[in-house]
Amino acid sequence: DRTTSNDGNLRKRKPLSIEEVILEPIQGETIQTNEDCRLRVKYAATKTFENVSWGFSIWTHDNLLNISGNYYLTPQTIRKGVGELSCLIPEMPLSPGTYLLKIAIGELATLQPIALTGVEDAPLEFKVGIEPNLLNNLLILNRQLMRINVRWL
């Protein structure tokens, strides 16, 4: 089951609008701790934008703590029309729970936002599940937000 947000009707008048955000598992039905997932950001642009970067941040469900995220700082060109930005999140590190996702597309040189979602409007809410076992139960009992991959020696 993928998680989507489609709020494009509220932002049609802007030069660049984020039309839909999709966070989906690569395999299986739900996003799971330690499993790969894909983030897709569908946009509509009324003009071409050069030297653009984009990224995301993941927040606790109460919207108080920015847990993590990432930004693609290689200059991108967004052409006039509709398109999609995407990335792979390998081995989702979040512990099971409900989280919020915010997206930013901005001008790389100035870091000024061109399009945002989850800041002026509601962020995308998504859930992370986990397979029950002893280690995963410890994560939940200890209220850990993330699971760090470790190579025990």
Side-chain angles (χ1 to χ4, degrees), residues 52 72 81 109 125 148:
V52 170
Y72 189 48
E125 182 180 282
I148 298 173

Side-chain angles (χ1 to χ4, degrees), residues 7 9 16 23 48-49 53 76 95 99 102 120 122 134 140:
D7 242 355
N9 294 332
L16 178 62
L23 185 61
T48 297
F49 292 87
S53 65
Q76 304 291 301
S95 294
Y99 300 93
K102 300 179 183 186
E120 297 170 340
L134 183 59
I140 295 166

Side-chain angles (χ1 to χ4, degrees), residues 85-101:
L85 302 167
S86 66
C87 68
L88 174 71
I89 302 172
E91 299 179 359
M92 172 60 85
L94 295 174
S95 294
T98 304
Y99 300 93
L100 302 176
L101 180 69

Side-chain angles (χ1 to χ4, degrees), residues 16-153:
L16 178 62
S17 60
I18 297 170
E19 299 294 308
E20 186 176 14
V21 176
I22 303 165
L23 185 61
E24 59 192 355
I26 299 296
Q27 295 181 353
E29 298 295 317
T30 60
I31 298 167
Q32 297 280 321
T33 300
N34 251 20
E35 296 293 328
D36 299 345
C37 61
R38 178 183 358 263
L39 173 59
R40 298 168 45 206
V41 178
K42 296 184 179 188
Y43 62 82
T46 61
K47 65 178 192 170
T48 297
F49 292 87
E50 301 283 342
N51 296 315
V52 170
S53 65
W54 78 282
F56 64 93
S57 57
I58 298 172
W59 293 70
T60 54
H61 190 250
D62 59 11
N63 203 20
L64 294 177
L65 179 64
N66 182 344
I67 301 168
S68 191
N70 213 326
Y71 293 88
Y72 189 48
L73 299 179
T74 300
Q76 304 291 301
T77 298
I78 291 181
R79 305 218 181 277
K80 181 179 178 179
V82 296
E84 181 175 298
L85 302 167
S86 66
C87 68
L88 174 71
I89 302 172
E91 299 179 359
M92 172 60 85
L94 295 174
S95 294
T98 304
Y99 300 93
L100 302 176
L101 180 69
K102 300 179 183 186
I103 307 294
I105 302 172
E107 196 174 273
L108 184 58
T110 63
L111 299 178
Q112 291 299 306
I114 302 169
L116 299 168
T117 189
V119 177
E120 297 170 340
D121 58 355
L124 174 67
E125 182 180 282
F126 70 98
K127 294 183 185 300
V128 175
I130 199 165
E131 294 296 319
N133 64 37
L134 183 59
L135 176 59
N136 294 338
N137 291 345
L138 283 171
L139 289 174
I140 295 166
L141 287 171
N142 288 323
R143 300 177 54 117
Q144 290 178 232
L145 292 175
M146 297 180 70
R147 178 176 171 180
I148 298 173
N149 285 328
V150 175
R151 290 187 194 138
W152 299 103
L153 305 175

